Amino acid sequence: WKILSFPPGGFGTTNQWTPSPPTSDTEQFLAYVTGIYTIQVTATDALGRTLTCETHVTVVDTGLRVELTWSNNGDVDLHLHNGSQTPWFGYNDAYYSSPNPDWDVLNNRDDDPLLDNDNIVGFGPENMRIVMPVVGKIYPIGVHAYSNVSGSITTVRIYCGTSAIPKYTYISHSLYGTNGVGACSQNEFWKVAAVVFDASGSCTVTYINTYSTSAERCSAY
């Protein structure tokens, strides 16, 4: 079994086949990025004759999905805020240290965010999703140059509903970040955009595109 083509960031360092290596009669394929994949399988019989075929796998999600990839080897972090005007890097910010915060304890809605892949080496992806976003609620997206990524250019793709095509794709400038300093430092933080869903499940995305240090985002929204 082989992946011939994939969406940007769809073929990362994390294994995508079970079992691995993919040489069994049946395989489980786990995609980390939304989009269209072309899968090829080649079978060989007892006489050494081979037959090859291809198929397409379209991976979609529901609600809000945000994907982050970056250009240089290192650790970049994806953030999703609940829009409460409180500082980032806390309870109201979903990121590596709080990958699945319960933002709605009282109403028990399924609108809690989930960071499903925290990639600390390589080029991503990191993925964030909310299955059922709250109508009218603002969800700001941020990117932090955590460590070892000075000069890295990041790409953020925002998906709404069940589309396999991103609604918007945004690219950062070359981020500043020294080695091994982590959160609340002079490493750069990019406030990318804010997403709002309506009752039909469609979304509106507002481009923010502001840069600061992560120390500033630790003390202010």
Side-chain angles (χ1 to χ4, degrees), residues 29-46:
F29 171 64
L30 175 61
Y32 286 92
V33 169
T34 301
I36 301 173
Y37 295 75
T38 302
I39 307 252
Q40 181 189 79
V41 59
T42 300
T44 304
D45 67 12

Side-chain angles (χ1 to χ4, degrees), residues 96-187:
Y96 74 90
S97 186
S98 181
N100 186 213
D102 189 353
W103 283 346
D104 191 30
V105 178
L106 295 179
N107 294 316
N108 195 31
R109 291 191 297 250
D110 194 16
D111 65 335
D112 296 328
L114 174 64
L115 177 68
D116 61 3
N117 186 31
D118 178 22
N119 194 310
I120 62 174
V121 294
F123 309 95
E126 286 203 1
N127 306 306
M128 189 82 69
R129 62 160 55 91
I130 297 179
V131 176
M132 296 179 63
V134 176
V135 173
K137 189 172 183 177
I138 300 173
Y139 296 102
I141 299 165
V143 170
H144 179 217
Y146 184 86
S147 181
N148 298 313
V149 290
S150 187
S152 195
I153 296 173
T154 63
T155 300
V156 171
R157 297 177 180 87
I158 301 171
Y159 298 83
C160 297
T162 59
S163 175
I165 307 299
K167 186 174 181 68
Y168 289 99
T169 299
Y170 298 117
I171 300 175
S172 72
H173 69 206
S174 180
L175 295 179
Y176 169 80
T178 57
N179 297 345
V181 293
C184 302
S185 67
Q186 295 304 301
N187 282 15

